[in-house]
Amino acid sequence: MTVGWSAPSATDVSLALDGQLLPVGIQNELPYQVPAGGPTGIGAAVVFACDSATHHTIDITWTGHARPATSRTVTIVKEPSDG
């Protein structure tokens, strides 16, 4: 999944999947994130297993220039299969 953002004043961005902070860069184990740019925006690819969970959440938290941290949450809902 790819998640994007625009935070022009951000100095740091962190991503968490279902409350677990995601490591940055390609890893041997899932989940992880691969940023497409710096903290000010364009986003990251979030790589995770498509398991039996009906939904997952991704928390995006950014900080910048003496401002408090700001967070947004995205919920990914798995559609039922036609099995």
Side-chain angles (χ1 to χ4, degrees):
M1 153 178 224
T2 302
V3 61
W5 61 83
S6 176
S9 63
T11 56
D12 186 51
V13 174
S14 63
L15 299 178
L17 177 69
D18 299 329
Q20 176 186 349
L21 212 60
L22 292 172
V24 177
I26 297 173
Q27 307 287 314
N28 288 329
E29 294 184 23
L30 301 177
Y32 59 87
Q33 64 169 304
V34 180
T40 59
I42 64 175
V46 177
V47 182
F48 62 97
C50 187
D51 55 18
S52 61
T54 58
H55 72 279
H56 292 280
T57 59
I58 297 177
D59 298 309
I60 307 163
T61 303
W62 64 93
T63 57
H65 305 296
R67 294 185 180 171
T70 303
S71 294
R72 297 291 184 264
T73 300
V74 177
T75 301
I76 302 124
V77 178
K78 184 177 180 179
E79 292 193 21
S81 62
D82 293 337

